[in-house]
Amino acid sequence: MTKTSIAALVAVSLAAPATAQDRSDWPESFTVGTASQGGTYFAYGSGWANLVAEELGITGGGEVTGGPMQNMALVHTGDAQFGMTTMGPAAESMNGTNPIAPGLPMTHACAMFPMYQTPFSVTALRSSGISSIADIPAGARIGFGPAGSTSDTYFPRMMEELGVDFERRNGGWSDLGGQLQDGLLDVIAFAAGVPVPAVSQLEVQTAVNIIEFTEAEQSTIMGAFPVAPYEIASDTYTTLQNDARSVSMWNFTIANCDLPTSFVHAVVDVVMSDNERMVNVHRAAGSTLPEHWDKNDVLKWHPGAAQWFMENAGADIPDDMIYGK
């Protein structure tokens, strides 16, 4: 037998398990609940959905939603197979305090893989003269993103904690960016993976200030909310000259807990096995790494996802944190 024929046989034998994989219980298509257009969730979520669809040969894509709170509800009910959430809204949903369905513990949304940290950041037009939290005038019109989003859930409370008096406005990030540019808003308070597409677009079109928290403000927020310290790197935006002090919350993708184990395992493998591909989807995916499995202490793991992380990342996930065990 020639070397060429041996190589061909080896290639066939290696490909055989994937080809022979039983997909009889897999869904014919899938959707990923993201958030509004112009935000990181939409760009990141649509990107990995398209990557998975291409690699697994199944129809799938991202869907515009109201963000983490709505995604928890959609995945819990099975109206979306997958979604993305931050740990704060995930905890509230598990405890039955999701405003979309008060009193309903959303226990059928399972952890799938870690995404990135969501920094909380504030942007204003440079012409406004607002360059710090203290500069925000009483009654300022602040855009907090889509209703029910992580930003809308936590940033107004953070602003109140810091003593800011404001009028609350909601909308998609692209729309709010346009309103800021048109003078209809004074400030936008973003909670999104960086760079936020809407901010990147704004700084191309006009001069903006990306406002950091002072050490005291950061400490106050960390004492009142489930967030960690974070610095927005200076090379994230052309506007920044130095790293900007912030706080952040971890994001995880979620899967309906009743999805087939082999299907979810395959999805996780596509996303987690090649980080370079994910970074090409969005820079925030630089943190979409197997070792960050331990950032989930809220949601039960989908069995297929738990299996992948235990096999490939040495994850020590206790049985009581895996759905169905």
Side-chain angles (χ1 to χ4, degrees):
M1 185 176 289
T2 66
K3 289 184 179 179
T4 302
S5 60
I6 291 173
L9 283 173
V10 170
V12 170
S13 65
L14 289 174
T19 304
Q21 186 177 38
D22 181 11
R23 298 186 173 199
S24 59
D25 59 349
W26 286 22
E28 294 182 1
S29 63
F30 69 87
T31 58
V32 177
T34 62
S36 68
Q37 292 181 339
T40 305
Y41 261 33
F42 182 76
Y44 181 105
S46 298
W48 77 255
N50 293 338
L51 178 63
V52 167
E54 181 180 347
E55 290 293 316
L56 297 183
I58 184 172
T59 303
E63 179 178 314
V64 173
T65 71
M69 287 291 194
Q70 187 178 10
N71 292 341
M72 285 293 296
L74 290 170
V75 172
H76 170 76
T77 60
D79 290 323
Q81 287 71 37
F82 304 121
M84 306 189 301
T85 191
T86 35
M87 290 291 96
E92 294 195 28
S93 299
M94 291 288 289
N95 293 333
T97 55
N98 186 318
I100 293 173
L104 174 67
M106 296 181 181
T107 54
H108 271 65
C110 282
M112 190 161 65
F113 62 81
M115 293 164 52
Y116 53 80
Q117 296 178 75
T118 286
F120 289 73
S121 62
V122 178
T123 301
L125 296 183
R126 191 165 298 168
S127 59
S128 71
I130 299 172
S131 60
S132 68
I133 299 297
D135 288 338
I136 299 174
R141 299 157 299 176
I142 301 181
F144 290 106
S149 64
T150 301
S151 184
D152 182 53
T153 302
Y154 288 95
F155 231 145
R157 300 185 212 169
M158 291 179 179
M159 289 295 192
E160 289 169 356
E161 191 74 21
L162 296 176
V164 178
D165 177 69
F166 57 87
E167 291 182 18
R168 183 175 184 160
R169 303 290 174 84
N170 292 111
W173 291 125
S174 294
D175 291 340
L176 294 178
Q179 290 178 43
L180 182 72
Q181 196 169 357
D182 292 341
L184 301 176
L185 291 176
D186 300 295
V187 169
I188 302 181
F190 289 94
V194 293
V196 180
V199 176
S200 298
Q201 182 65 28
L202 269 173
E203 62 178 357
V204 168
Q205 298 171 335
T206 187
V208 299
N209 287 333
I210 295 171
I211 300 165
E212 69 172 350
F213 296 119
T214 65
E215 288 185 16
E217 289 165 349
Q218 183 188 57
S219 178
T220 296
I221 293 171
M222 288 172 57
F225 302 96
V227 293
Y230 186 89
E231 287 198 343
I232 301 172
S234 59
D235 64 355
T236 304
Y237 300 109
T238 57
T239 298
L240 286 177
Q241 301 301 310
N242 301 294
D243 294 350
R245 190 181 299 104
S246 179
V247 295
S248 70
M249 199 178 279
W250 266 94
N251 298 270
F252 263 70
T253 59
I254 50 177
N256 180 272
C257 298
D258 294 327
L259 285 172
T261 296
S262 63
F263 176 51
V264 173
H265 186 279
V267 171
V268 173
D269 189 59
V270 168
V271 174
M272 300 303 297
S273 63
D274 190 341
N275 185 248
E276 186 176 342
R277 288 190 308 193
M278 284 299 298
V279 172
N280 287 335
V281 165
H282 195 285
R283 280 178 57 189
S287 298
T288 305
L289 300 170
E291 57 261 36
H292 293 312
W293 68 269
D294 62 353
K295 302 304 188 294
N296 168 44
D297 57 3
V298 173
L299 298 166
K300 288 202 172 186
W301 286 89
H302 189 286
Q307 180 186 350
W308 192 93
F309 284 99
M310 289 189 288
E311 290 172 348
N312 297 281
D316 182 19
I317 303 174
D319 283 353
D320 63 1
M321 283 297 287
I322 301 175
Y323 182 81
K325 289 198 175 184

